[in-house]
Amino acid sequence: MKRSYVETLPEACYIDAENLLGETTVKRDESVNELQSWLAQEHQQITINNDVRYLVYFLRTTKYDIEKAKQKILMYCKIRIERVEWFKNRDPFATDILELLDLGIFLPLRQKDQHNRQVVIIRTAAHNPKYHTQNNVFKVDKMILDLLLFLDETISIYGIVAVFDMKNVRLAHALQLNAALIKRTVVSWENYPCRPKLLEFVNAPMHVSVVLNIFRSFMSEKMKTRIKISNRGTQIGQLVNLPPELEGTGDSYHDLTVYWKKKVQDHAFWFAENEHQQQA
């Protein structure tokens, strides 16, 4: 049964969606119907989400290129099926997940930048490689990103900026990232319907350049142009109030960690339901 998209955002967001992405009410409705027909006829086994907004997300991230949207949907679903280490057993009260939530490894800011983009801080060295696997780190990252997309549709219009705080990165962190794992995370990131606009690496020591070059080797040409590396200071800091740990006066890492731990745990049922839908 086909589902219809319901407008719930302020009118200004839909005006921006038209200006930035070419979205109109007619184009959106026709495109959603086309994707639903395609899925029903050719890919009945695929379950993205019962929320029709996700089809709109994929249309927006491809600027309404139907064929590109189809390919992204297929890759997105393929990744979620194959990468069980990231997308199964996502219980926010489980010990391995709880420990990483307490560390604050993935911290979305609570205010947008001057371009209305969502800013997330990814603390690449907050975990101890001796106790936490990189796959579990990615699992928690994606749990919070999934929840963020569920809670805030505007990300599909304005996009997302990721600030990778590499302070205290050690060789042990780099050794967790083999080429196969790096490729998987790049492919996953490029097929998420969240419009990544900037990837800024800050506090980056010289010796991590080898790992970053491997990341680049798997990226699309467009994504490569969106990488910025800084030994001190941030580009995005001119557009949003960052945490004190990044020389801003916004919410601290601790405050954001407490906020997002509670937010994730408050949605424990949503994670379980989402996982059940994926397996259906």
Side-chain angles (χ1 to χ4, degrees):
M1 186 174 109
K2 288 188 177 181
R3 293 162 287 138
S4 299
Y5 172 85
V6 177
E7 292 189 359
T8 59
L9 298 177
E11 182 180 358
C13 291
Y14 294 109
I15 293 173
D16 287 340
E18 181 173 4
N19 292 333
L20 295 170
L21 311 171
E23 177 177 312
T24 65
T25 301
V26 172
K27 178 180 284 188
R28 183 181 61 231
D29 291 345
E30 289 179 350
S31 299
V32 166
N33 284 336
E34 183 173 344
L35 287 180
Q36 289 186 110
S37 296
W38 166 72
L39 287 169
Q41 293 170 11
E42 300 182 37
H43 299 281
Q44 296 179 28
Q45 77 281 11
I46 288 182
T47 303
I48 300 176
N49 193 294
N50 287 337
D51 190 341
V52 74
R53 290 184 308 162
Y54 284 78
L55 294 180
V56 178
Y57 288 2
F58 281 101
L59 289 166
R60 286 172 176 161
T61 198
T62 57
K63 293 188 176 180
Y64 279 80
D65 184 318
I66 293 288
E67 292 308 312
K68 285 185 179 179
K70 289 178 181 179
Q71 292 307 309
K72 281 208 168 189
I73 288 170
L74 292 177
M75 183 58 71
Y76 174 84
C77 293
K78 181 176 185 287
I79 291 167
R80 295 180 84 86
I81 291 170
E82 292 181 350
R83 300 271 66 84
V84 294
E85 64 272 27
W86 297 346
F87 297 108
K88 281 193 176 181
N89 303 317
R90 303 204 299 176
D91 177 3
F93 293 94
T95 301
D96 53 350
I97 293 177
L98 184 58
E99 288 178 357
L100 290 168
L101 288 174
D102 281 331
L103 290 175
I105 60 172
F106 190 96
L107 301 173
L109 299 190
R110 290 194 279 180
Q111 76 276 7
K112 305 296 178 65
D113 75 1
Q114 292 178 19
H115 301 301
N116 292 319
R117 302 176 299 186
Q118 175 66 56
V119 179
V120 299
I121 310 297
I122 300 173
R123 301 175 63 210
T124 58
H127 69 286
N128 187 333
K130 184 185 295 186
Y131 304 113
H132 305 111
T133 69
Q134 192 63 50
N135 277 324
N136 276 345
V137 169
F138 287 154
K139 175 189 281 193
V140 172
D141 288 352
K142 292 175 190 306
M143 285 177 67
I144 299 176
L145 179 57
D146 283 346
L147 182 58
L148 198 59
L149 290 171
F150 171 71
L151 295 174
D152 188 355
E153 182 183 338
T154 65
I155 294 171
S156 67
I157 297 175
Y158 301 106
I160 194 167
V161 170
V163 178
F164 295 81
D165 183 356
M166 306 190 78
K167 185 177 181 179
N168 298 325
V169 164
R170 307 191 309 273
L171 179 61
H173 292 102
L175 291 176
Q176 286 189 307
L177 293 165
N178 59 59
L181 187 55
I182 290 174
K183 182 177 181 179
R184 288 171 190 159
T185 193
V186 170
V187 171
S188 175
W189 185 248
E190 292 201 344
N191 285 281
Y192 252 78
C194 58
R195 304 194 69 225
K197 306 297 290 182
L198 173 67
L199 307 178
E200 185 172 13
F201 294 82
V202 301
N203 297 320
M206 294 298 293
H207 66 267
V208 303
S209 59
V210 174
V211 175
L212 294 181
N213 285 336
I214 298 174
F215 270 94
R216 280 197 189 93
S217 70
F218 295 117
M219 290 180 174
S220 65
E221 291 304 314
K222 178 187 286 188
M223 190 65 70
K224 289 177 183 177
T225 66
R226 296 178 177 177
I227 291 179
K228 304 295 179 185
I229 299 175
S230 175
N231 293 324
R232 57 183 303 175
T234 69
Q235 176 178 314
I236 193 64
Q238 302 172 24
L239 302 174
V240 69
N241 193 6
L242 292 169
E245 292 84 350
L246 293 176
E247 302 180 6
T249 58
D251 293 330
S252 68
Y253 281 177
H254 174 267
D255 290 344
L256 290 169
T257 296
V258 171
Y259 176 84
W260 281 105
K261 176 186 174 182
K262 184 178 187 305
K263 184 71 74 174
V264 169
Q265 292 188 327
D266 285 348
H267 287 82
F269 178 78
W270 179 81
F271 284 108
E273 185 179 50
N274 192 259
E275 186 173 324
H276 175 74
Q277 290 174 2
Q278 194 67 42
Q279 295 172 352

